[in-house]
Amino acid sequence: MTEPDLPFAVITLMKGVVYRDTHERAWKHLLQLQPRVRDYVEVLGLQVVIDEAEGYAFLRQRPSGEAEAAAEPVPRLIPRRPLSFHVSLLLALLRKKLAEFDAQGGDTRLMLTRDQIAEMLRVFLPATSNEARLIDKIDEHIGKVERLGFLRTAKNAEQTYEVRRVLKAYIDGQWLADFDARLAEYAGLLTGDAVSGGDGE
């Protein structure tokens, strides 16, 4: 393997999640150069997360406790992204759907149509007589989740998305265990939103 393979693997990671099925070259180099990649990004205050079983890898900021212990704290490279209420809710619904899908066994790729995703989210949206505006809001939330990298538009299938398995790394099993309680919290927020007459985000 040639020396440029290390920068290639690191740069690809810096751009976002590396997937086994879509970044074959970077994925191969990443697995073969794991120790060197970890050492390389550690000086930047980053950690490499690799899930070989699920086929994805990404960078995350080193935990704050470790960063504070360093002689000279490194500025944060990976920004925190505040998510709107409905985008957070959609991510939770997709994660729960992925868990149910995995429990059934079989295919490893969860594919959902735009209408299926919309129906999942519609239940938790305030009632409105403006159907067109509601659809626009749903499409906006779906688009945001897609830009975050948790949904990918399927090839040769209009308005169909693949739920990216890296979502499991952001919403873990313990979070799912508390999902029903969280939905009750969401319902309370929606009730307050309906009373105030706002559409929310």
Side-chain angles (χ1 to χ4, degrees):
M1 183 170 297
T2 60
E3 185 61 27
D5 292 334
L6 176 62
F8 177 78
V10 173
I11 290 172
T12 307
L13 272 172
M14 289 287 191
K15 291 181 177 180
V17 180
V18 173
Y19 292 102
R20 178 174 52 209
D21 60 350
T22 54
H23 306 94
E24 295 182 10
R25 179 185 166 199
W27 178 259
K28 182 177 73 171
H29 296 337
L30 181 58
L31 293 186
Q32 294 176 330
L33 295 168
Q34 277 191 61
R36 295 177 63 191
V37 172
R38 293 184 189 281
D39 291 344
Y40 194 99
V41 301
E42 186 176 2
V43 299
L44 301 176
L46 303 175
Q47 292 179 329
V48 182
V49 178
I50 301 176
D51 191 320
E52 293 188 46
E54 299 286 7
Y56 62 76
F58 62 94
L59 293 174
R60 69 181 175 193
Q61 201 75 31
R62 191 166 56 199
S64 57
E66 296 180 21
E68 291 168 1
E72 294 185 15
V74 178
R76 188 176 186 88
L77 281 176
I78 300 178
R80 296 183 184 276
R81 295 176 177 176
L83 301 178
S84 68
F85 162 68
H86 286 114
V87 169
S88 298
L89 174 59
L90 179 53
L91 289 175
L93 293 171
L94 290 172
R95 177 64 179 89
K96 187 169 188 289
K97 193 75 173 177
L98 188 57
E100 294 170 350
F101 177 77
D102 286 346
Q104 296 172 0
D107 198 350
T108 59
R109 299 174 64 199
L110 172 58
M111 310 298 294
L112 296 172
T113 66
R114 170 190 166 280
D115 289 344
Q116 287 175 316
I117 298 174
E119 284 306 309
M120 289 167 50
L121 192 56
R122 184 189 293 266
V123 177
F124 299 95
L125 294 174
T128 176
S129 58
N130 192 335
E131 181 69 12
R133 175 166 172 74
L134 178 64
I135 294 301
D136 286 344
K137 294 299 291 184
I138 289 175
D139 284 340
E140 181 182 323
H141 302 322
I142 292 175
K144 176 65 173 178
V145 172
E146 184 177 11
R147 289 191 294 276
L148 287 171
F150 297 116
L151 286 174
R152 180 176 69 169
T153 302
K155 295 180 180 178
N156 304 320
E158 187 176 354
Q159 295 191 327
T160 299
Y161 300 89
E162 176 186 354
V163 180
R164 302 300 269 165
R165 304 192 70 81
V166 70
L167 181 57
K168 297 174 68 174
Y170 289 86
I171 300 181
D172 60 20
Q174 182 57 50
W175 198 99
L176 274 185
D178 300 331
F179 187 74
D180 289 340
R182 292 178 186 273
L183 284 185
E185 294 176 11
Y186 290 154
L189 287 171
L190 284 175
T191 300
D193 188 46
V195 171
S196 67
D199 287 319
E201 284 296 326

